[in-house]
Amino acid sequence: MEWSCRPAGFDQDCFVRIVSKISAMQQLGRQWQRAGKAVLFVPTMGFLHRGHAGLMERARQLAGRNGRVVVSVYVNPTQFGPKEDFARYPRDAKGDQRLCRAAGVDVFFAPGDAEMYPADFSTAVQEEKLAGGMEGAARPGHFRGVTTIVAKLFNAVLPTAAVFGAKDFQQAAVIRRMTRDLNFPVKIVVAPTRREADGLAMSSRNKYLSPSQREQAAVLRRAIERAQEAVARRPVAAAQLRLETARMVAAQPEARLDYVEFFDPQTLEPVRTARPGTRMALAVYVGRTRLIDNDEL
Ligand code: AMP
């Protein structure tokens, strides 16, 4: 187990313990469990930004002074498709550790590939109802990778609760279902999406965008707001909202709509008519970068 630098005036709030071995993490988790501490866990793929910091702040708040907050950083290869951006996914371990320290995180858990996926690894966790549409349909195998890694991380960290972002709404729903179905004693908490000034949801992938693409990317949020305004006046056919979204996206020279869905937030089943409470989610390629967003209408 290594320790990060000790800043001058060291106190508990600006000191993050770095753990890379699963056994060391489990040992800490068991120790905290015996002491009856709340353990709040925030799983991430790193390149941390203020969106992630929001989850950590929520975790810190729920953990209280006596509880512990663990952030994992692991770019999970099994949730990327063969043509996706695994190899070029941005990484910045030092920056991530700094952000965790500032957010009052206790443990920075960064397991290695060899330990996470030994050469003869041959098990997977798959949710079979909520994971089928939207991201699951557009990215075959994605959720199987997500549920497998989150189950493994739960078994490594042994948290009492885990915090996920509403930005990945379907992911949070799939994980909540997996947690219940497999009886993980973990409470699932969902924290709101943090956005840039123009409404673009913060994402590690925003780094890929050129300045012009970055401007065009605001169309995801604008499309959601347009739908929210329409639905606030009267119920609207999902087909009509879909058409309107497609038009807005097509007006951006480098943007291409992957999907837009209107669905029940509990079952994730598509609705024919969107009304207040319906959830809207969309995925848009801006250049080669695939961005997602969602919100309640
Ligand atoms: P990632 O590192 O992209 O896998 O995300 C790790 C966690 O952070 C997931 O629960 C995401 O939903 C959450 N997250 C990512 N971006 C945001 C954001 N802009 N606001 C809130 N949560 C976010």
Side-chain angles (χ1 to χ4, degrees):
M1 213 174 292
E2 316 135 45
W3 297 82
S4 68
C5 62
R6 245 170 235 258
F10 155 77
D11 66 30
Q12 233 183 358
D13 290 342
C14 60
F15 181 60
V16 66
R17 188 171 187 166
I18 298 168
V19 176
S20 57
K21 288 273 173 283
I22 294 170
S23 59
M25 189 66 248
Q26 285 170 325
Q27 203 180 328
L28 272 173
R30 278 195 295 270
Q31 202 176 300
W32 293 333
Q33 216 169 44
R34 277 196 299 275
K37 289 189 187 302
V39 178
L40 272 288
F41 176 42
V42 182
T44 80
M45 297 205 301
F47 208 71
L48 302 177
H49 48 68
R50 282 197 295 119
H52 295 115
L55 308 191
M56 295 175 203
E57 285 159 23
R58 185 72 188 281
R60 186 70 266 168
Q61 181 192 21
L62 292 170
R65 280 197 74 76
N66 287 324
R68 294 289 181 264
V69 175
V70 179
V71 170
S72 67
V73 168
Y74 183 65
V75 185
N76 173 37
T78 65
Q79 71 189 69
F80 289 79
K83 293 192 181 134
E84 293 182 359
D85 56 345
F86 173 68
R88 67 180 188 125
Y89 196 83
R91 292 160 167 89
D92 177 14
K94 286 291 160 216
D96 289 349
Q97 287 165 20
R98 262 198 308 278
L99 189 139
C100 286
R101 201 155 49 233
V105 168
D106 297 294
V107 170
F108 182 93
F109 178 45
D113 284 329
E115 225 196 350
M116 277 314 228
Y117 293 111
D120 57 354
F121 186 88
S122 56
T123 304
V125 176
Q126 186 150 2
E127 192 284 331
E128 299 200 313
K129 186 89 185 154
L130 305 176
M134 296 187 280
E135 289 303 286
R139 306 179 65 189
H142 170 67
F143 281 123
R144 178 185 161 105
V146 169
T147 39
T148 301
I149 197 69
V150 171
K152 285 172 66 62
L153 289 167
F154 281 1
N155 282 331
V157 176
L158 307 174
T160 50
V163 187
F164 294 86
K167 163 153 184 288
D168 298 274
F169 186 84
Q170 188 183 11
Q171 170 175 280
V174 166
I175 286 167
R176 196 190 291 283
R177 178 67 58 87
M178 173 199 81
T179 303
R180 189 207 64 182
D181 287 353
L182 298 186
N183 309 109
F184 281 103
V186 180
K187 180 172 186 246
I188 304 300
V189 178
V190 179
T193 302
R194 279 203 175 162
R195 301 177 178 282
E196 304 287 356
D198 65 354
L200 176 65
M202 290 176 180
S203 164
S204 309
R205 290 190 167 99
N206 293 350
K207 173 190 153 68
Y208 300 146
L209 302 169
S210 71
S212 144
Q213 290 172 343
R214 168 65 191 79
E215 275 181 34
Q216 296 173 51
V219 73
L220 283 89
R221 182 62 191 165
R222 282 207 308 277
I224 293 173
E225 284 172 354
R226 180 77 63 90
Q228 282 171 330
E229 287 160 16
V231 163
R233 288 192 292 271
R234 56 178 162 74
V236 188
Q240 187 184 327
L241 293 175
R242 190 170 290 123
L243 217 63
E244 178 72 8
T245 300
R247 253 193 237 114
M248 289 179 75
V249 172
Q252 305 301 317
E254 291 179 84
R256 179 167 64 79
L257 184 64
D258 190 8
Y259 69 77
V260 53
E261 294 289 348
F262 301 87
F263 57 95
D264 178 293
Q266 302 300 325
T267 62
L268 309 193
E269 290 292 331
V271 297
R272 289 174 70 88
T273 306
R275 17 182 126 253
T278 297
R279 198 92 190 174
M280 170 177 176
L282 75 169
V284 173
Y285 281 96
V286 181
R288 285 174 58 201
T289 305
R290 187 171 178 281
L291 302 174
I292 59 171
D293 203 350
N294 74 86
D295 206 351
E296 183 182 330
L297 295 185

